[in-house]
Amino acid sequence: MNTPMRTEGGDHDLRHHGDAEVRDDGSALVDLAVNVRADTPPSWLRERIAESLTGLAAYPDGREARATVAARHGLPAERVLLTAGAAEAFVLVARALRVRRPVVVHPQFTEPEAALRDAGHTVDRVLLREEDGFRLDPTAVPEDADLVVIGNPTNPTSVLHPAAAIAELARPGRTLVVDEAFMDAVPGEREALAGRTDVPGLVVLRSLTKTWGLAGLRIGYVLASPETIAELTRAQPLWPVSTPALAAAEACVGDAALAEASDAAHRTAADRAHLIAGLKEFAPDGLHVVEPAEGPFVLVRLPRATAVRAQLRSLGFAVRRGDTFPGLGEEWLRLAVRDRVTVNRFLQALDKAVTVVGR
């Protein structure tokens, strides 16, 4: 049984993110710590962004980008809010909505809980368990929770929850926030709730930074009822999304871009299978992979993971520590999926690291 627990968040570093692994002395490392697709943004997207720079003297006008995003999901524009990445959306939710008992389903991206705590809320956690495959049990969420946050597919577990199971969390008077930042990396976007209008209180967050390599540009969006969008908009500063980011939003939801993203999702799935097959060779060393993995990353547990991670850095590879995620400990690591050549090099380095640490 997954059980809720009340916490002030002091037991985990909620502000630690994968980019910390590749800053400063980690800048030359091969990056398996950040879940942004490698070799992005593509040249056509860089060109579209560059073209927008001629209009920087004017204030950003997001109406066309908003309409384009809405059309991508078959929604009216009043159900869409453009944001400076999904991270801004979490802050808006925490500050704008009237919340009495927020619950965050963990392990997952820690920024939603951090934003809620910064806004003065006491946060309850539902901790999904390894023995259950980190899968959602909707009955574990307290009935009186009026805000529930869950990722799908979930970072860092790479679990893709059934849309029907997540929809079971919906209640009258409850806001259900589903972080679908990595959904476009799932072939066919199966189990997506984006575009649904039949789930009461549903708020879906999407990011364009992961698949398209735009973490430095900051662009994402919220899909929700017009009333919720209006509340979030009132909490947003003027002109929150820059003209280049608006141009990127339009470009990334066009038909050609969606086809490219679909191709990339299938390649990622094949590369992930290759990575998992290689990781399973380390089962005699105690390594365990969380499966089935559906995101562009995998979560692994192995003995002395902290020492292995340090050894990997000395061998030129950065991986994401797992102990900053509620529900995980020091024996966990998250690995971004990369191409087969990079994965093969990483597996060789992991073999050396495990050998050295095991001596």
mmCIF file of all heavy atoms in Angstrom, residues 113-144:
data_model
loop_
_atom_site.group_PDB
_atom_site.id
_atom_site.type_symbol
_atom_site.label_atom_id
_atom_site.label_comp_id
_atom_site.label_asym_id
_atom_site.label_seq_id
_atom_site.Cartn_x
_atom_site.Cartn_y
_atom_site.Cartn_z
ATOM 1 N N GLU A 113 6.766 20.308 -5.702
ATOM 2 C CA GLU A 113 6.709 20.403 -4.240
ATOM 3 C C GLU A 113 7.478 21.621 -3.751
ATOM 4 O O GLU A 113 7.024 22.324 -2.840
ATOM 5 C CB GLU A 113 7.259 19.141 -3.577
ATOM 6 C CG GLU A 113 7.195 19.242 -2.061
ATOM 7 C CD GLU A 113 7.595 17.971 -1.335
ATOM 8 O OE1 GLU A 113 7.326 16.875 -1.852
ATOM 9 O OE2 GLU A 113 8.152 18.097 -0.223
ATOM 10 N N ALA A 114 8.631 21.888 -4.340
ATOM 11 C CA ALA A 114 9.401 23.060 -3.925
ATOM 12 C C ALA A 114 8.595 24.336 -4.122
ATOM 13 O O ALA A 114 8.593 25.226 -3.259
ATOM 14 C CB ALA A 114 10.713 23.123 -4.714
ATOM 15 N N ALA A 115 7.900 24.447 -5.251
ATOM 16 C CA ALA A 115 7.092 25.639 -5.523
ATOM 17 C C ALA A 115 5.951 25.765 -4.521
ATOM 18 O O ALA A 115 5.640 26.871 -4.050
ATOM 19 C CB ALA A 115 6.554 25.585 -6.947
ATOM 20 N N LEU A 116 5.319 24.662 -4.193
ATOM 21 C CA LEU A 116 4.228 24.688 -3.218
ATOM 22 C C LEU A 116 4.736 25.111 -1.842
ATOM 23 O O LEU A 116 4.105 25.934 -1.156
ATOM 24 C CB LEU A 116 3.571 23.315 -3.143
ATOM 25 C CG LEU A 116 2.668 22.941 -4.321
ATOM 26 C CD1 LEU A 116 2.415 21.441 -4.354
ATOM 27 C CD2 LEU A 116 1.340 23.706 -4.239
ATOM 28 N N ARG A 117 5.864 24.574 -1.428
ATOM 29 C CA ARG A 117 6.405 24.942 -0.117
ATOM 30 C C ARG A 117 6.820 26.409 -0.093
ATOM 31 O O ARG A 117 6.598 27.111 0.891
ATOM 32 C CB ARG A 117 7.591 24.045 0.241
ATOM 33 C CG ARG A 117 7.182 22.593 0.447
ATOM 34 C CD ARG A 117 8.188 21.808 1.264
ATOM 35 N NE ARG A 117 9.514 21.809 0.700
ATOM 36 C CZ ARG A 117 10.560 22.487 1.180
ATOM 37 N NH1 ARG A 117 10.430 23.225 2.252
ATOM 38 N NH2 ARG A 117 11.734 22.419 0.602
ATOM 39 N N ASP A 118 7.408 26.893 -1.201
ATOM 40 C CA ASP A 118 7.795 28.295 -1.272
ATOM 41 C C ASP A 118 6.590 29.221 -1.179
ATOM 42 O O ASP A 118 6.700 30.368 -0.722
ATOM 43 C CB ASP A 118 8.553 28.571 -2.579
ATOM 44 C CG ASP A 118 9.949 27.985 -2.587
ATOM 45 O OD1 ASP A 118 10.434 27.578 -1.511
ATOM 46 O OD2 ASP A 118 10.560 27.912 -3.671
ATOM 47 N N ALA A 119 5.427 28.728 -1.630
ATOM 48 C CA ALA A 119 4.205 29.524 -1.568
ATOM 49 C C ALA A 119 3.511 29.417 -0.211
ATOM 50 O O ALA A 119 2.423 29.963 -0.033
ATOM 51 C CB ALA A 119 3.253 29.100 -2.678
ATOM 52 N N GLY A 120 4.135 28.706 0.717
ATOM 53 C CA GLY A 120 3.615 28.645 2.073
ATOM 54 C C GLY A 120 2.753 27.439 2.384
ATOM 55 O O GLY A 120 2.165 27.363 3.475
ATOM 56 N N HIS A 121 2.678 26.476 1.472
ATOM 57 C CA HIS A 121 1.843 25.305 1.696
ATOM 58 C C HIS A 121 2.608 24.205 2.436
ATOM 59 O O HIS A 121 3.815 24.032 2.242
ATOM 60 C CB HIS A 121 1.357 24.736 0.364
ATOM 61 C CG HIS A 121 0.547 25.696 -0.444
ATOM 62 N ND1 HIS A 121 -0.727 26.075 -0.100
ATOM 63 C CD2 HIS A 121 0.844 26.376 -1.588
ATOM 64 C CE1 HIS A 121 -1.183 26.940 -0.984
ATOM 65 N NE2 HIS A 121 -0.258 27.140 -1.895
ATOM 66 N N THR A 122 1.901 23.467 3.250
ATOM 67 C CA THR A 122 2.413 22.214 3.801
ATOM 68 C C THR A 122 2.003 21.096 2.850
ATOM 69 O O THR A 122 0.825 20.974 2.502
ATOM 70 C CB THR A 122 1.846 21.950 5.202
ATOM 71 O OG1 THR A 122 2.253 23.011 6.073
ATOM 72 C CG2 THR A 122 2.357 20.619 5.748
ATOM 73 N N VAL A 123 2.972 20.296 2.448
ATOM 74 C CA VAL A 123 2.752 19.330 1.368
ATOM 75 C C VAL A 123 2.720 17.914 1.917
ATOM 76 O O VAL A 123 3.580 17.516 2.705
ATOM 77 C CB VAL A 123 3.869 19.459 0.298
ATOM 78 C CG1 VAL A 123 3.640 18.458 -0.830
ATOM 79 C CG2 VAL A 123 3.906 20.887 -0.254
ATOM 80 N N ASP A 124 1.708 17.168 1.494
ATOM 81 C CA ASP A 124 1.665 15.734 1.774
ATOM 82 C C ASP A 124 2.263 14.989 0.585
ATOM 83 O O ASP A 124 2.122 15.416 -0.559
ATOM 84 C CB ASP A 124 0.235 15.253 1.983
ATOM 85 C CG ASP A 124 -0.328 15.680 3.327
ATOM 86 O OD1 ASP A 124 0.396 16.343 4.082
ATOM 87 O OD2 ASP A 124 -1.501 15.368 3.600
ATOM 88 N N ARG A 125 2.903 13.873 0.877
ATOM 89 C CA ARG A 125 3.490 13.029 -0.162
ATOM 90 C C ARG A 125 2.836 11.661 -0.168
ATOM 91 O O ARG A 125 2.570 11.090 0.896
ATOM 92 C CB ARG A 125 5.000 12.833 0.066
ATOM 93 C CG ARG A 125 5.838 14.087 -0.066
ATOM 94 C CD ARG A 125 7.265 13.802 0.353
ATOM 95 N NE ARG A 125 8.111 14.977 0.191
ATOM 96 C CZ ARG A 125 9.337 15.092 0.698
ATOM 97 N NH1 ARG A 125 9.849 14.086 1.409
ATOM 98 N NH2 ARG A 125 10.048 16.192 0.499
ATOM 99 N N VAL A 126 2.598 11.151 -1.359
ATOM 100 C CA VAL A 126 2.284 9.731 -1.537
ATOM 101 C C VAL A 126 3.511 9.109 -2.179
ATOM 102 O O VAL A 126 3.903 9.493 -3.285
ATOM 103 C CB VAL A 126 1.036 9.521 -2.412
ATOM 104 C CG1 VAL A 126 0.907 8.058 -2.808
ATOM 105 C CG2 VAL A 126 -0.206 9.983 -1.672
ATOM 106 N N LEU A 127 4.140 8.193 -1.476
ATOM 107 C CA LEU A 127 5.373 7.577 -1.943
ATOM 108 C C LEU A 127 5.066 6.245 -2.625
ATOM 109 O O LEU A 127 4.597 5.303 -1.984
ATOM 110 C CB LEU A 127 6.344 7.355 -0.778
ATOM 111 C CG LEU A 127 6.779 8.611 -0.007
ATOM 112 C CD1 LEU A 127 7.727 8.221 1.121
ATOM 113 C CD2 LEU A 127 7.445 9.610 -0.942
ATOM 114 N N LEU A 128 5.325 6.183 -3.922
ATOM 115 C CA LEU A 128 5.168 4.929 -4.649
ATOM 116 C C LEU A 128 6.365 4.035 -4.351
ATOM 117 O O LEU A 128 7.487 4.515 -4.182
ATOM 118 C CB LEU A 128 5.052 5.201 -6.151
ATOM 119 C CG LEU A 128 3.962 6.193 -6.554
ATOM 120 C CD1 LEU A 128 3.897 6.319 -8.071
ATOM 121 C CD2 LEU A 128 2.611 5.797 -5.983
ATOM 122 N N ARG A 129 6.136 2.729 -4.312
ATOM 123 C CA ARG A 129 7.151 1.803 -3.809
ATOM 124 C C ARG A 129 7.802 1.000 -4.925
ATOM 125 O O ARG A 129 7.155 0.642 -5.922
ATOM 126 C CB ARG A 129 6.525 0.852 -2.797
ATOM 127 C CG ARG A 129 5.832 1.547 -1.636
ATOM 128 C CD ARG A 129 5.382 0.551 -0.599
ATOM 129 N NE ARG A 129 4.574 -0.523 -1.186
ATOM 130 C CZ ARG A 129 4.191 -1.613 -0.517
ATOM 131 N NH1 ARG A 129 4.564 -1.776 0.738
ATOM 132 N NH2 ARG A 129 3.449 -2.537 -1.104
ATOM 133 N N GLU A 130 9.064 0.704 -4.720
ATOM 134 C CA GLU A 130 9.803 -0.107 -5.682
ATOM 135 C C GLU A 130 9.152 -1.469 -5.871
ATOM 136 O O GLU A 130 9.041 -1.963 -7.010
ATOM 137 C CB GLU A 130 11.254 -0.285 -5.214
ATOM 138 C CG GLU A 130 12.080 -1.159 -6.148
ATOM 139 C CD GLU A 130 13.461 -1.474 -5.601
ATOM 140 O OE1 GLU A 130 13.763 -1.096 -4.445
ATOM 141 O OE2 GLU A 130 14.238 -2.122 -6.339
ATOM 142 N N GLU A 131 8.681 -2.086 -4.795
ATOM 143 C CA GLU A 131 8.090 -3.422 -4.906
ATOM 144 C C GLU A 131 6.800 -3.425 -5.716
ATOM 145 O O GLU A 131 6.360 -4.476 -6.189
ATOM 146 C CB GLU A 131 7.852 -4.041 -3.524
ATOM 147 C CG GLU A 131 7.073 -3.160 -2.580
ATOM 148 C CD GLU A 131 7.965 -2.349 -1.653
ATOM 149 O OE1 GLU A 131 8.981 -1.816 -2.127
ATOM 150 O OE2 GLU A 131 7.633 -2.266 -0.453
ATOM 151 N N ASP A 132 6.196 -2.262 -5.889
ATOM 152 C CA ASP A 132 5.012 -2.125 -6.740
ATOM 153 C C ASP A 132 5.373 -1.603 -8.128
ATOM 154 O O ASP A 132 4.481 -1.242 -8.907
ATOM 155 C CB ASP A 132 4.002 -1.170 -6.104
ATOM 156 C CG ASP A 132 3.512 -1.655 -4.745
ATOM 157 O OD1 ASP A 132 3.368 -2.884 -4.585
ATOM 158 O OD2 ASP A 132 3.276 -0.815 -3.857
ATOM 159 N N GLY A 133 6.671 -1.544 -8.435
ATOM 160 C CA GLY A 133 7.107 -1.019 -9.716
ATOM 161 C C GLY A 133 6.908 0.482 -9.842
ATOM 162 O O GLY A 133 6.855 1.010 -10.959
ATOM 163 N N PHE A 134 6.786 1.173 -8.697
ATOM 164 C CA PHE A 134 6.554 2.625 -8.666
ATOM 165 C C PHE A 134 5.295 2.999 -9.456
ATOM 166 O O PHE A 134 5.200 4.084 -10.019
ATOM 167 C CB PHE A 134 7.763 3.390 -9.205
ATOM 168 C CG PHE A 134 8.989 3.270 -8.350
ATOM 169 C CD1 PHE A 134 10.092 2.541 -8.807
ATOM 170 C CD2 PHE A 134 9.066 3.852 -7.104
ATOM 171 C CE1 PHE A 134 11.237 2.426 -8.026
ATOM 172 C CE2 PHE A 134 10.195 3.742 -6.307
ATOM 173 C CZ PHE A 134 11.286 3.015 -6.769
ATOM 174 N N ARG A 135 4.318 2.081 -9.476
ATOM 175 C CA ARG A 135 3.075 2.335 -10.198
ATOM 176 C C ARG A 135 2.039 2.956 -9.264
ATOM 177 O O ARG A 135 2.031 2.706 -8.058
ATOM 178 C CB ARG A 135 2.530 1.058 -10.830
ATOM 179 C CG ARG A 135 3.538 0.399 -11.783
ATOM 180 C CD ARG A 135 2.861 -0.475 -12.796
ATOM 181 N NE ARG A 135 2.074 0.301 -13.754
ATOM 182 C CZ ARG A 135 2.615 0.929 -14.813
ATOM 183 N NH1 ARG A 135 3.918 0.888 -15.030
ATOM 184 N NH2 ARG A 135 1.845 1.599 -15.639
ATOM 185 N N LEU A 136 1.172 3.741 -9.868
ATOM 186 C CA LEU A 136 0.180 4.493 -9.103
ATOM 187 C C LEU A 136 -0.940 3.596 -8.589
ATOM 188 O O LEU A 136 -1.512 2.802 -9.337
ATOM 189 C CB LEU A 136 -0.415 5.596 -9.991
ATOM 190 C CG LEU A 136 -1.602 6.364 -9.409
ATOM 191 C CD1 LEU A 136 -1.162 7.181 -8.204
ATOM 192 C CD2 LEU A 136 -2.235 7.254 -10.473
ATOM 193 N N ASP A 137 -1.254 3.748 -7.310
ATOM 194 C CA ASP A 137 -2.463 3.209 -6.718
ATOM 195 C C ASP A 137 -3.345 4.407 -6.386
ATOM 196 O O ASP A 137 -3.099 5.111 -5.398
ATOM 197 C CB ASP A 137 -2.137 2.415 -5.454
ATOM 198 C CG ASP A 137 -3.387 1.968 -4.702
ATOM 199 O OD1 ASP A 137 -4.496 2.136 -5.237
ATOM 200 O OD2 ASP A 137 -3.249 1.475 -3.574
ATOM 201 N N PRO A 138 -4.370 4.697 -7.191
ATOM 202 C CA PRO A 138 -5.175 5.906 -6.959
ATOM 203 C C PRO A 138 -5.795 5.969 -5.567
ATOM 204 O O PRO A 138 -6.017 7.069 -5.037
ATOM 205 C CB PRO A 138 -6.254 5.812 -8.047
ATOM 206 C CG PRO A 138 -5.649 4.980 -9.127
ATOM 207 C CD PRO A 138 -4.812 3.966 -8.394
ATOM 208 N N THR A 139 -6.055 4.813 -4.946
ATOM 209 C CA THR A 139 -6.690 4.815 -3.628
ATOM 210 C C THR A 139 -5.740 5.296 -2.533
ATOM 211 O O THR A 139 -6.193 5.564 -1.410
ATOM 212 C CB THR A 139 -7.205 3.416 -3.269
ATOM 213 O OG1 THR A 139 -6.094 2.506 -3.133
ATOM 214 C CG2 THR A 139 -8.156 2.896 -4.349
ATOM 215 N N ALA A 140 -4.441 5.400 -2.832
ATOM 216 C CA ALA A 140 -3.483 5.847 -1.822
ATOM 217 C C ALA A 140 -3.521 7.357 -1.618
ATOM 218 O O ALA A 140 -3.018 7.866 -0.616
ATOM 219 C CB ALA A 140 -2.078 5.416 -2.210
ATOM 220 N N VAL A 141 -4.094 8.083 -2.563
ATOM 221 C CA VAL A 141 -4.169 9.539 -2.444
ATOM 222 C C VAL A 141 -5.299 9.903 -1.495
ATOM 223 O O VAL A 141 -6.439 9.434 -1.667
ATOM 224 C CB VAL A 141 -4.398 10.185 -3.822
ATOM 225 C CG1 VAL A 141 -4.585 11.694 -3.702
ATOM 226 C CG2 VAL A 141 -3.215 9.876 -4.741
ATOM 227 N N PRO A 142 -5.039 10.721 -0.479
ATOM 228 C CA PRO A 142 -6.090 11.082 0.477
ATOM 229 C C PRO A 142 -7.315 11.686 -0.210
ATOM 230 O O PRO A 142 -7.184 12.513 -1.111
ATOM 231 C CB PRO A 142 -5.399 12.106 1.383
ATOM 232 C CG PRO A 142 -3.943 11.796 1.272
ATOM 233 C CD PRO A 142 -3.739 11.319 -0.130
ATOM 234 N N GLU A 143 -8.480 11.245 0.231
ATOM 235 C CA GLU A 143 -9.717 11.679 -0.414
ATOM 236 C C GLU A 143 -9.927 13.188 -0.319
ATOM 237 O O GLU A 143 -10.525 13.805 -1.206
ATOM 238 C CB GLU A 143 -10.911 10.947 0.212
ATOM 239 C CG GLU A 143 -12.207 11.100 -0.550
ATOM 240 C CD GLU A 143 -12.168 10.479 -1.945
ATOM 241 O OE1 GLU A 143 -11.448 9.472 -2.123
ATOM 242 O OE2 GLU A 143 -12.843 11.014 -2.836
ATOM 243 N N ASP A 144 -9.415 13.805 0.764
ATOM 244 C CA ASP A 144 -9.651 15.232 0.940
ATOM 245 C C ASP A 144 -8.572 16.111 0.307
ATOM 246 O O ASP A 144 -8.579 17.331 0.479
ATOM 247 C CB ASP A 144 -9.797 15.584 2.422
ATOM 248 C CG ASP A 144 -8.517 15.307 3.213
ATOM 249 O OD1 ASP A 144 -7.634 14.573 2.701
ATOM 250 O OD2 ASP A 144 -8.401 15.814 4.344
#
